[in-house]
Structures are given as structure tokens and as C-alpha cells.
Amino acid sequence: MLQNFIICVNAVIPSAIYLVIGIILKLSGSVTDEQVRKFTHLVFITLYPFIMFDNLYGKDIAGNMDMKLGLYAVGFTFFQLALSWAFVVRIEKDNYERGAMIQALYRSNYVLMGFPIAVNLFGKGNITAVAIIMMLVVPFYNISAVVIFETFRGGRVDVRDMIKRILTNPIIDGGIAALIVMVLGIKLPTAVEWTVTSLSDATSPIAMILLGAALNLKGFSSDRKRILICTLGKLVVFPAVGIAGAVMLGIRDVQLIAVTLMVAAPVALASYAMASSMGGNGKLAGELVVITTITSCFTIPVFLFILKTGGYF
């Protein structure tokens, strides 16, 4: 049992260390907020496609993904959104707060927290299921977030804009490129494969360090009730329900961990920018990103330990 606990903790420690490095860089004044924003955008548009491409190219997609897993991932994400929406609307009367709270309850930082932990558990090249689920849920995150904030600020959803957002998302583009290459039977030159792999390997450490530098540890509000509700829902309630449902459906091993990381990851960093730019409480959204990111370094190992001890992976 102790060995299982060590394995699960070790899977998260590298991500936690990267976060700490980023926090130290920020607190020491080595980087400014503007520099962090620029570097984060640069990493997003230049490196994220490679991490997705590398984890799909040449892999047995059919063997790593069945209809049950895909339907469950999308279905549970929709369930999270629907339940979060109904719950928040019931307890919160201010539209300014509603969007940020709903988004915090269902939208996960799956890309940054999911990939590195999965790699640490199963090894590079064995986490295709994680990449596939990411291709399925990331578009849903983007579309639903726009719908949420437009609804609560009385705006109108622009369908063409949403489609453009999906088609220009670097994560989706990387996955599409990999699928096209495989369908056409294209074999990349060895030198190109090495380059893609190197860029993919560099993505998670750089992105996690930037995430740490982006966390604003100062000026927290006294709105403890909303923060507590969203944190418990995001990191405890929904993960417990989502993981239990996957286990009951017979989902196991790397596929189960893909689901686990999807539901147990902290609030997406993008939720802060979305709330701030679309009439929501950006300050609350930013605080939830910070608190859930730090707290998830403790909650994720607990869920992994329970699954490992139960023999589910």
C-alpha cells in the first residue's frame, strides 16, 4: 500500500515542482505579468500542437479508444456543465458571479495537468487515450464557456466565431494533423519525428512553469463561500462521481486515468481570461485557478492512490 502511495505522489511531484519554479520566478521579479502572458500565448500556439500530434501519431487509436470511453467522457462533461449551471443559478442570484462559478465547476486544466501526470504513470507513448479524450472535451469546453458568459451578460452567441475558435485551436489542429497523416499513410522522416518529440517533451515543463508564474498569490477576496463551494465541487464531488461512474462501466487502466485526470484536474487557466473579457467576475475566476491548482497537487494523488490500491490501473 505504501508503494502505491509513493507511485501516485511521484506522478504529481514533477508538476508541483514546475509550479513552484514558476511561482519563485514571479515572486523574485524575474518575469512580469506581461511577459508571462506573452510567453504563455507563444507556447500555446507553437508547442501545444506538437504535444497532441506526438501522442496520436503512429499510435493504435482504435485500440486506445472505444465508443464507451468517448461517450462517457463527453457525456459526463455535459452532465457537469448542466448540473453546475442548475446548482449555481439556484444558489447565486448575481449574473456577474454565475459565469465564473459555473466555469470553475466543470472546466478543467486537462492539458497542463493531465499529460505530465499520465506520462509519469504510464510512460510516454502509452497515453493515447488521454490525447483522444482531450480532442473530444476541449472543443466542448470552449463552446460551452462562450455560451455561459454570453447568456449571463445578455449577449448573443456567434456560431461562426465559435467554429473559428475550434478550428484555430492549436490543440485541435495538432490532433487533426496527426489523423490526416495517419489516414494518408504518411511516414515522417526520422529527423522530423525527433524534432516533434523534442518539442512535445518541452511543452509540459515550460507550460507548467508559466502556469506557476501566472498564479496571482496576492489580493485574495474575502468571498470564501463561493471559493469553497467551487473548490469542493471541482476537486472532490465531481471527481468522486465521475471516477465512480467510469469504474462501474468497466473502464480501466490508462483509459480510467484519462477520465480521472479529466474530472480531477484544477480549473482551467483560460477561465480567468474568459471571465475577465466576457463580463464575468475575473477576479474570482483567477482566485479559483490559483486555489484549485495548488490544492489539486494533494487531491489528485489521493484519487490515484485509491484507484491504484483497488487494482483499477
Side-chain angles (χ1 to χ4, degrees), residues 66-110:
D66 56 31
M67 187 64 68
K68 178 171 62 177
L69 177 63
L71 289 175
Y72 185 75
V74 175
F76 189 79
T77 303
F78 183 82
F79 168 76
Q80 278 185 282
L81 170 60
L83 190 59
S84 299
W85 195 312
F87 175 71
V88 170
V89 168
R90 184 177 180 83
I91 68 169
E92 179 57 62
K93 304 305 180 184
D94 190 348
N95 283 343
Y96 179 67
E97 310 288 353
R98 284 174 168 176
M101 292 179 68
I102 294 172
Q103 190 176 217
L105 284 167
Y106 84 95
R107 192 176 186 186
S108 293
N109 200 354
Y110 189 35

Coordinates of all heavy atoms in Angstrom, one line a residue, residues 66-110:
D66 N -12.5 3.3 -27.2 CA -13.7 2.7 -27.6 C -14.9 3.6 -27.5 O -14.8 4.7 -26.9 CB -14.0 1.4 -26.9 CG -14.0 1.6 -25.4 OD1 -14.4 2.6 -24.9 OD2 -13.6 0.6 -24.7
M67 N -16.0 3.3 -28.1 CA -17.2 4.1 -28.1 C -17.6 4.4 -26.6 O -18.0 5.6 -26.3 CB -18.3 3.5 -28.8 CG -19.5 4.3 -29.0 SD -19.2 5.8 -30.0 CE -18.9 5.0 -31.6
K68 N -17.5 3.5 -25.7 CA -17.9 3.7 -24.4 C -17.2 4.8 -23.7 O -17.7 5.6 -23.0 CB -17.8 2.3 -23.6 CG -18.2 2.4 -22.1 CD -18.3 1.1 -21.5 CE -16.9 0.4 -21.5 NZ -17.0 -0.9 -20.8
L69 N -15.8 4.7 -23.9 CA -15.0 5.7 -23.2 C -15.3 7.1 -23.8 O -15.4 8.1 -23.0 CB -13.5 5.4 -23.5 CG -12.5 6.4 -22.9 CD1 -12.6 6.5 -21.4 CD2 -11.1 6.0 -23.4
G70 N -15.4 7.2 -25.1 CA -15.7 8.5 -25.7 C -17.0 9.1 -25.3 O -17.1 10.3 -24.9
L71 N -18.0 8.3 -25.3 CA -19.4 8.7 -24.9 C -19.4 9.1 -23.4 O -20.1 10.1 -23.1 CB -20.4 7.6 -25.2 CG -20.7 7.3 -26.6 CD1 -21.7 6.2 -26.8 CD2 -21.3 8.6 -27.3
Y72 N -18.7 8.4 -22.6 CA -18.7 8.7 -21.2 C -18.0 10.0 -20.9 O -18.4 10.8 -20.1 CB -18.0 7.6 -20.4 CG -18.1 7.8 -18.9 CD1 -19.3 7.6 -18.2 CD2 -17.0 8.3 -18.2 CE1 -19.4 7.9 -16.8 CE2 -17.1 8.6 -16.8 CZ -18.3 8.4 -16.2 OH -18.4 8.7 -14.8
A73 N -16.8 10.2 -21.6 CA -16.1 11.5 -21.4 C -16.9 12.7 -21.8 O -17.0 13.7 -21.0 CB -14.8 11.4 -22.2
V74 N -17.5 12.6 -22.9 CA -18.3 13.8 -23.4 C -19.6 13.9 -22.6 O -20.0 15.0 -22.2 CB -18.7 13.6 -24.9 CG1 -19.6 14.7 -25.3 CG2 -17.4 13.6 -25.7
G75 N -20.2 12.7 -22.3 CA -21.5 12.7 -21.5 C -21.3 13.3 -20.1 O -22.1 14.0 -19.7
F76 N -20.2 12.9 -19.5 CA -20.0 13.3 -18.1 C -19.7 14.8 -18.1 O -20.1 15.5 -17.2 CB -19.0 12.5 -17.4 CG -18.9 12.8 -15.9 CD1 -19.8 12.3 -15.0 CD2 -18.0 13.7 -15.4 CE1 -19.8 12.6 -13.7 CE2 -17.9 14.0 -14.0 CZ -18.9 13.4 -13.2
T77 N -18.9 15.3 -19.1 CA -18.6 16.7 -19.1 C -19.9 17.5 -19.3 O -20.0 18.6 -18.7 CB -17.6 17.0 -20.3 OG1 -16.5 16.2 -20.2 CG2 -17.2 18.4 -20.3
F78 N -20.8 17.0 -20.2 CA -22.1 17.7 -20.3 C -22.9 17.7 -19.0 O -23.5 18.6 -18.7 CB -22.9 17.1 -21.5 CG -24.2 17.7 -21.7 CD1 -24.2 18.9 -22.5 CD2 -25.4 17.2 -21.2 CE1 -25.4 19.5 -22.8 CE2 -26.6 17.9 -21.5 CZ -26.6 19.0 -22.3
F79 N -22.8 16.5 -18.4 CA -23.5 16.4 -17.1 C -23.0 17.4 -16.0 O -23.7 18.0 -15.3 CB -23.3 15.0 -16.6 CG -23.8 14.8 -15.1 CD1 -25.1 14.7 -14.8 CD2 -22.8 14.6 -14.1 CE1 -25.5 14.5 -13.4 CE2 -23.2 14.5 -12.8 CZ -24.5 14.4 -12.4
Q80 N -21.6 17.5 -16.0 CA -21.0 18.5 -15.1 C -21.5 19.9 -15.4 O -21.9 20.7 -14.5 CB -19.5 18.5 -15.3 CG -18.8 17.4 -14.5 CD -17.3 17.6 -14.7 OE1 -16.7 17.2 -15.7 NE2 -16.6 18.1 -13.7
L81 N -21.5 20.3 -16.7 CA -22.0 21.6 -17.0 C -23.5 21.8 -16.7 O -23.8 22.8 -16.1 CB -21.8 21.8 -18.6 CG -22.5 23.1 -19.1 CD1 -21.9 24.3 -18.5 CD2 -22.3 23.1 -20.7
A82 N -24.3 20.9 -17.0 CA -25.8 21.0 -16.7 C -26.0 21.1 -15.2 O -26.8 22.0 -14.8 CB -26.5 19.8 -17.3
L83 N -25.4 20.2 -14.4 CA -25.6 20.3 -13.0 C -25.0 21.5 -12.4 O -25.6 22.1 -11.5 CB -25.0 19.0 -12.4 CG -25.3 18.8 -10.9 CD1 -26.9 18.6 -10.7 CD2 -24.6 17.5 -10.4
S84 N -23.9 21.9 -12.8 CA -23.2 23.1 -12.3 C -24.1 24.4 -12.6 O -24.3 25.2 -11.7 CB -21.8 23.3 -13.0 OG -21.0 22.3 -12.7
W85 N -24.6 24.4 -13.8 CA -25.5 25.5 -14.2 C -26.7 25.6 -13.3 O -27.0 26.7 -12.8 CB -25.9 25.4 -15.7 CG -26.5 26.6 -16.3 CD1 -27.5 27.4 -15.8 CD2 -26.1 27.2 -17.6 NE1 -27.7 28.4 -16.6 CE2 -26.9 28.3 -17.8 CE3 -25.2 26.8 -18.6 CZ2 -26.9 29.1 -18.9 CZ3 -25.2 27.6 -19.7 CH2 -26.0 28.7 -19.9
A86 N -27.4 24.5 -13.2 CA -28.6 24.4 -12.4 C -28.3 24.8 -10.9 O -29.1 25.5 -10.3 CB -29.2 23.0 -12.5
F87 N -27.2 24.3 -10.4 CA -26.9 24.5 -9.0 C -26.5 25.9 -8.7 O -27.0 26.6 -7.8 CB -25.7 23.6 -8.6 CG -25.2 23.8 -7.2 CD1 -25.9 23.4 -6.1 CD2 -23.9 24.4 -7.0 CE1 -25.4 23.7 -4.8 CE2 -23.4 24.6 -5.8 CZ -24.2 24.3 -4.6
V88 N -25.7 26.5 -9.6 CA -25.2 27.9 -9.4 C -26.4 28.9 -9.5 O -26.5 29.8 -8.7 CB -24.1 28.2 -10.3 CG1 -23.8 29.7 -10.3 CG2 -22.8 27.4 -10.0
V89 N -27.2 28.7 -10.5 CA -28.3 29.5 -10.7 C -29.3 29.5 -9.5 O -29.9 30.5 -9.2 CB -29.1 29.1 -12.0 CG1 -30.5 29.9 -12.1 CG2 -28.3 29.5 -13.2
R90 N -29.3 28.4 -8.9 CA -30.2 28.3 -7.7 C -29.6 29.0 -6.5 O -30.4 29.6 -5.7 CB -30.4 26.8 -7.4 CG -31.4 26.5 -6.2 CD -31.6 25.1 -6.0 NE -32.5 24.8 -4.9 CZ -33.8 24.8 -5.0 NH1 -34.4 25.1 -6.2 NH2 -34.6 24.6 -3.9
I91 N -28.3 28.9 -6.3 CA -27.7 29.5 -5.0 C -27.2 30.9 -5.2 O -26.9 31.6 -4.3 CB -26.6 28.6 -4.5 CG1 -25.4 28.6 -5.4 CG2 -27.1 27.2 -4.2 CD1 -24.2 27.9 -4.8
E92 N -27.0 31.3 -6.5 CA -26.3 32.6 -6.8 C -27.3 33.4 -7.7 O -27.7 33.0 -8.7 CB -25.0 32.4 -7.5 CG -24.3 33.7 -7.9 CD -24.0 34.6 -6.7 OE1 -23.3 34.1 -5.8 OE2 -24.5 35.7 -6.7
K93 N -27.6 34.6 -7.2 CA -28.6 35.5 -7.9 C -27.9 36.5 -8.8 O -28.5 37.1 -9.7 CB -29.4 36.2 -6.9 CG -30.2 35.3 -5.9 CD -31.0 34.3 -6.7 CE -31.7 33.4 -5.7 NZ -32.5 32.3 -6.4
D94 N -26.6 36.7 -8.7 CA -25.9 37.7 -9.4 C -25.2 37.1 -10.7 O -24.4 36.2 -10.6 CB -24.8 38.3 -8.5 CG -24.1 39.6 -9.2 OD1 -24.4 39.8 -10.4 OD2 -23.4 40.3 -8.5
N95 N -25.7 37.6 -11.8 CA -25.1 37.1 -13.1 C -23.6 37.3 -13.2 O -22.9 36.5 -13.9 CB -25.8 37.7 -14.3 CG -27.2 37.1 -14.5 OD1 -27.6 36.1 -14.0 ND2 -28.0 37.8 -15.3
Y96 N -23.1 38.3 -12.6 CA -21.7 38.7 -12.6 C -20.9 37.5 -12.0 O -19.8 37.3 -12.4 CB -21.5 40.0 -11.9 CG -20.1 40.4 -11.8 CD1 -19.4 40.8 -12.9 CD2 -19.4 40.4 -10.5 CE1 -18.1 41.3 -12.8 CE2 -18.1 40.9 -10.5 CZ -17.4 41.3 -11.6 OH -16.1 41.7 -11.5
E97 N -21.4 36.9 -11.0 CA -20.7 35.8 -10.3 C -21.0 34.4 -11.0 O -20.2 33.5 -11.0 CB -21.2 35.7 -8.9 CG -21.1 37.0 -8.1 CD -19.7 37.4 -7.8 OE1 -18.7 36.7 -8.1 OE2 -19.5 38.6 -7.3
R98 N -22.2 34.3 -11.6 CA -22.6 33.0 -12.1 C -21.7 32.3 -13.1 O -21.3 31.1 -13.0 CB -24.0 33.1 -12.7 CG -25.1 33.2 -11.6 CD -26.5 33.5 -12.3 NE -27.6 33.3 -11.3 CZ -28.8 33.5 -11.6 NH1 -29.2 34.0 -12.9 NH2 -29.8 33.4 -10.7
G99 N -21.3 33.1 -14.1 CA -20.4 32.6 -15.1 C -19.1 32.0 -14.6 O -18.7 30.9 -15.0
A100 N -18.5 32.8 -13.8 CA -17.2 32.3 -13.2 C -17.3 31.1 -12.4 O -16.5 30.2 -12.4 CB -16.6 33.5 -12.4
M101 N -18.4 31.0 -11.6 CA -18.6 29.8 -10.8 C -18.9 28.6 -11.6 O -18.4 27.5 -11.3 CB -19.7 30.1 -9.8 CG -19.4 31.2 -8.7 SD -20.8 31.5 -7.6 CE -20.8 29.9 -6.7
I102 N -19.8 28.7 -12.6 CA -20.2 27.5 -13.4 C -18.9 27.0 -14.1 O -18.7 25.8 -14.1 CB -21.3 27.9 -14.4 CG1 -22.6 28.2 -13.7 CG2 -21.5 26.8 -15.4 CD1 -23.6 28.8 -14.6
Q103 N -18.2 27.9 -14.7 CA -17.0 27.5 -15.4 C -16.0 26.8 -14.5 O -15.4 25.8 -14.9 CB -16.3 28.8 -16.1 CG -15.2 28.4 -17.0 CD -14.7 29.7 -17.7 OE1 -14.3 29.6 -18.9 NE2 -14.6 30.8 -17.0
A104 N -15.9 27.3 -13.3 CA -14.9 26.7 -12.4 C -15.3 25.3 -12.0 O -14.4 24.5 -11.7 CB -14.8 27.6 -11.1
L105 N -16.6 25.0 -12.0 CA -17.0 23.7 -11.6 C -16.8 22.6 -12.6 O -16.8 21.4 -12.3 CB -18.5 23.8 -11.2 CG -18.8 24.4 -9.8 CD1 -20.3 24.7 -9.7 CD2 -18.3 23.5 -8.7
Y106 N -16.8 23.0 -13.9 CA -16.7 21.9 -14.9 C -15.5 22.0 -15.8 O -15.1 21.0 -16.4 CB -18.0 21.9 -15.8 CG -18.0 22.9 -16.9 CD1 -17.6 22.5 -18.2 CD2 -18.3 24.2 -16.7 CE1 -17.6 23.4 -19.2 CE2 -18.3 25.1 -17.8 CZ -17.9 24.7 -19.0 OH -17.9 25.6 -20.1
R107 N -14.9 23.1 -16.0 CA -13.9 23.3 -17.0 C -12.5 23.0 -16.4 O -12.0 23.7 -15.5 CB -13.9 24.7 -17.6 CG -13.0 24.9 -18.8 CD -13.2 26.3 -19.4 NE -12.4 26.4 -20.7 CZ -12.3 27.5 -21.3 NH1 -12.8 28.6 -20.9 NH2 -11.6 27.5 -22.5
S108 N -11.8 22.0 -16.9 CA -10.6 21.5 -16.3 C -9.3 21.9 -17.1 O -9.4 22.1 -18.3 CB -10.6 20.0 -16.2 OG -11.5 19.5 -15.3
N109 N -8.3 22.1 -16.3 CA -7.0 22.3 -16.9 C -6.3 21.0 -17.3 O -5.3 20.6 -16.9 CB -6.1 23.1 -15.9 CG -4.9 23.8 -16.6 OD1 -4.7 23.7 -17.8 ND2 -4.2 24.6 -15.9
Y110 N -7.0 20.3 -18.2 CA -6.7 18.9 -18.5 C -5.4 18.8 -19.3 O -4.6 17.9 -19.1 CB -7.8 18.4 -19.4 CG -7.8 16.9 -19.7 CD1 -7.3 16.0 -18.8 CD2 -8.3 16.4 -20.9 CE1 -7.3 14.6 -19.1 CE2 -8.3 15.1 -21.2 CZ -7.8 14.2 -20.3 OH -7.7 12.9 -20.6

